[in-house]
Amino acid sequence: MTDLPGLPSRRSFLKATAAGAALSGLAVSAKARTAEPPVPLDQYQPEFFTPAEWTFVLAATARLIPSEGDGPGALEARVPVFIDREMMGGYGAAADWYMEGPHQPDADPFRGWQTPLTPAEVYRGAIPVFDAWCQQTHGGAFAELDAAKQDAALTALQKGEVALDPTLKDFFSILLQNTKEGYFADPMYGGNHGMQAWTFIGFPGARANFKEWVPRYNVEYPLGPVSIKGERA
Amino acid sequence: MARQEKKKDVVIVGLGWTGSIIGMELAQEGLEIVALERGHDQDTVPNFQYPQMIDELKYGVRLGMMQKPRQSTLTIRRNLEESALPYRSLGSFLPGNGVGGAGTHWNGLNWRPMLAEYKLRSHVEQNWGAGIIPEDMQLMDYPVTYEELEPHFARFERVAGISGNAGNINGQIIEGGNPFEAPRSSDYPMPAMPSTYDGAKFAEAAKSLGLHPFARPGGIASTSYVNEYGMQMGPCNHCGFCERYGCYQYSKSSPQTAILDALRKKPNFSYRTGAEVLRVEMAEDGKTATGVTYYDEAAQEEVFQPADLVILAAYQLHNVHLMLLSGIGQPYDPRTGQGVTGKNYAYQMNGGYTLFYENEVFNPFIGTGANGFSIDDYGIGQIDFGTEGFIGGSYISSGQSNGQPIRSMPLPAGTPAWGQGWKDGIKKWYGHSMSIGSHGSHMAYRNNYLDLDPTYKDRHGRPLMRMTFNWHDNEVRMTQFMREKIRPIAEALKPDSMQDAFKKQGQMYDVRPYQTTHNTGGAIMSETPDQGAVNKFSQAWDKHNVFVMGAGNFVQNTQYNPTGLVGGLAYHTAQAIRTQYLSNPRPLV
Ligand SMILES: Cc1cc2nc3c(=O)[nH]c(=O)nc-3n(C[C@H](O)[C@H](O)[C@H](O)COP(=O)(O)OP(=O)(O)OC[C@H]3O[C@@H](n4cnc5c(N)ncnc54)[C@H](O)[C@@H]3O)c2cc1C
Ligand code: SF4
């Protein structure tokens, strides 16, 4: 079980274990080619997120892509690790973006990213505000709520019903976008652990060589994914 | 004081498609040429190698090959009243950066405009009268004819290595090609690519409805090929990482595969990277340029590069920006209609259907940038504008280009965007849908234009360019017409369900989702100097030793992807410089 992500709360831990059992075949075959199994999620030391932020990211991504049912959830795919690393990189720092003022953060959303904050700063600013809103509305920080209340809180956040400063208004959309990125990006970025998300939907990863398969209409492609580093699942 | 470099005969600003074409053609005249490229050097090996290139996050999502807004961007507003805001992170369009330009990470779809598009104003006036032209539409004729450009289109197709099936050779209609295309002097240099299942289904349905499907032409090699410069291509393997990526094998047409290695061998050609041109310098007489000043990234200083001939090949947006900064052509003013530089900015009007099939398998990761089939039955030359109430047209296609799951995950309307419903949805629907898209023309309007922003500056302290752009009713009517025309094709394909996305009346321009990098106008060609910035040879009307390449020359946008016309115009200019200008430098018109 060592490479299955463990989790801080008992409820989440049970959930991850159940999902992990269903996926053990995949996890093992990926592990066989990985020199060292990654640190379990509950022992992972985030580089960017504070402990409170990390608790939120674990809990929120677990609702955005839940572990129940077929296929990996965000936790099995180690999406939180991906997001933590992205925050430390060029994306988190908006390194490529034009960030000069004056800023008009309350502009029509059609006009794109207009906050003076970087994506990492948006996470940093918005998580405590959202947690406080959860406390006030649902009686606990986001991670302490039950799944139904967590979903209700995320829905409110998505619909813009949580009063966030305009500089933070893109929080939900980047959280969701980054969660999906971590689910489907090449595993070398820390998420999509064992290429489980690719296997789940039938995407062959970095194979990128299909000439012979072009005329085979309506016939499922038979090979599983490979990663950029050559892992196979 | 700027450092000064040794004088050259020619300085080329930007080393993408047009810079490479002009560089190669003028190098054959023995001229001393330097190209200045703001980005880094990059080539198939080592930069586009397998498997590093097959990385959706790095290139598809974080846009590793594109221009970095921190270094270069513009501001955008939708009307004259709004204050423009910076395009801070890329969305709607994705200009290239580095050797090869956007020609490295494009899709490769290659077209010649339809016959009606060259003299569109005349076409409208002759058939329906000027009365049907909306009051604020600045509809124009190109000052060149198709006949003048035809040899240059053929040349570009041969150099770039385009795969396709001709539909009209010298007036003879050929089965399997596009019967509505303008007559061509020769077939494509390579046969059409095979299509995936979606394109084949679409073609069959279109045919059953009496329409005329043909394999979509593109710069994707269907076989091995050597062009006139000795550059080689090998057959594409439908890798599904085409648009936004450099081709990891020599299959996608690009400056790298078609021109650059041959050009590097020319002793009279050199290029410098990390060299962003800041402005074109003018002689005291005001009639000619003396060279360009650029920023040398390595030395961190400004450098003056003197040259007798200045070629702007920096992509439409950057060419117009440099013209505005350097005083090439009088800036256009929408209030008076006076001025030329920045006039008639236009874009593209697209829409599409998605069709879902629970029990059919599309393997969406198998694809190329130019995969599939198209019809041109609703092209601009086929439509009765008077009856339909708009001016324009579209080509319609189906053919998957990628199944990269972060960005390409079509789900039936009503599927939740997250949670259990989303997770169930991706399992159920990934690989079980196909799409049919329309790609349509965009006319020019009085208030869609480019000028300098009054507020925002770039890292060199230069004002950013400001784009004023919004959709107009004419294009919305055009795209809604396409919606009606595609529906029976989609219905004939009997999907379990389908949905569509076409612009509606009053819809505002949204800069976030990718639309196309088909920015046109701003340096339009014209019959007379009061109407546009350049003449029919893409020569600046008021600075005869400055030539401006690219889609900035388009008087309004055509219904097609621009590069066929961009490449044709580049060869047209090259020929004019070689045969008319060099022997006697002067205004050619
Ligand atoms: C994602 C994408 C898909 C596309 N798909 C298609 C398609 O399928 N079919 C089609 O017809 N067209 C397509 N295009 C458009 C096509 O790429 C362009 O039409 C074509 O590359 C234009 O050639 P160009 O020489 O004008 O500019 P580019 O090829 O972009 O070259 C311009 C070069 O100039 C450099 N530069 C800019 N400013 C400066 C400066 N100040 N100083 C020095 N250098 C500078 C840039 O870095 C760049 O290298 C696509 C574009 C994109 C981005
Ligand atoms: S689809 Fe073909 S042409 Fe495009 S990048 Fe892949 S191999 Fe190259």
Side-chain angles (χ1 to χ4, degrees), chain B residues 13-19 36-38 94 96-98 100-103 105-109 243 275-277 313-315 318 322 514 517-518 550 561-563:
Chain B
V13 183
L15 194 54
W17 259 132
T18 57
L36 302 172
E37 166 56 50
R38 66 177 178 185
L94 304 171
N97 188 44
H105 65 247
W106 70 324
N107 269 318
L109 293 157
E243 185 191 41
E276 183 173 16
V277 172
Y315 187 70
H318 312 297
L322 285 169
Y514 183 67
T517 313
H518 305 167
N561 313 60
T563 311

Side-chain angles (χ1 to χ4, degrees), chain B residues 183-242:
Chain B
R184 46 174 61 249
S185 55
S186 52
D187 203 342
Y188 290 98
M190 279 180 268
M193 287 282 288
S195 168
T196 45
Y197 184 42
D198 54 343
K201 277 173 79 86
F202 166 78
E204 202 182 296
K207 208 166 184 175
S208 75
L209 294 169
L211 302 167
H212 300 84
F214 55 93
R216 197 147 51 148
I220 310 280
S222 59
T223 175
S224 19
Y225 180 71
V226 182
N227 74 11
E228 63 180 89
Y229 302 142
M231 298 291 295
Q232 301 177 23
M233 293 171 86
C236 159
N237 65 31
H238 287 252
C239 82
F241 285 79
C242 205

Side-chain angles (χ1 to χ4, degrees), chain B residues 271-447:
Chain B
Y271 64 102
R272 298 178 203 136
T273 54
E276 183 173 16
V277 172
L278 303 178
R279 61 191 169 270
V280 182
E281 305 291 355
M282 298 304 158
E284 272 175 20
D285 67 2
K287 293 196 180 89
T288 51
T290 55
V292 302
T293 296
Y294 69 95
Y295 186 74
D296 179 340
E297 215 71 54
Q300 300 273 303
E301 63 179 354
E302 289 193 10
V303 181
F304 175 54
Q305 174 61 62
D308 288 332
L309 196 52
V310 174
I311 309 286
L312 297 184
Y315 187 70
Q316 178 266 355
L317 294 169
H318 312 297
N319 289 341
V320 177
H321 191 205
L322 285 169
M323 292 168 77
L324 290 165
L325 290 167
S326 312
I328 301 170
Q330 193 196 328
Y332 170 74
D333 180 348
R335 290 183 175 82
T336 61
Q338 300 293 305
V340 290
T341 304
K343 179 180 173 180
N344 283 18
Y345 173 75
Y347 203 34
Q348 207 87 64
M349 179 53 103
N350 300 346
Y353 279 78
T354 308
L355 285 64
F356 294 93
Y357 298 86
E358 206 172 332
N359 299 316
E360 291 190 37
V361 177
F362 291 89
N363 296 319
F365 39 84
I366 304 177
T368 81
N371 181 31
F373 279 86
S374 301
I375 54 168
D376 233 343
D377 296 77
Y378 306 110
I380 204 161
Q382 269 61 256
I383 297 175
D384 182 340
F385 301 151
T387 306
E388 305 300 347
F390 63 82
I391 296 170
S394 297
Y395 76 86
I396 292 165
S397 323
S398 180
Q400 60 204 30
S401 64
N402 81 85
Q404 298 159 38
I406 302 174
R407 292 174 305 127
S408 302
M409 186 60 75
L411 297 171
T415 309
W418 53 274
Q420 195 64 47
W422 178 78
K423 194 179 167 197
D424 294 344
I426 61 171
K427 173 72 178 166
K428 184 163 179 188
W429 295 112
Y430 180 76
H432 295 283
S433 69
M434 62 175 274
S435 65
I436 304 176
S438 63
H439 186 283
S441 57
H442 199 293
M443 299 303 133
Y445 294 91
R446 187 185 302 139
N447 290 351

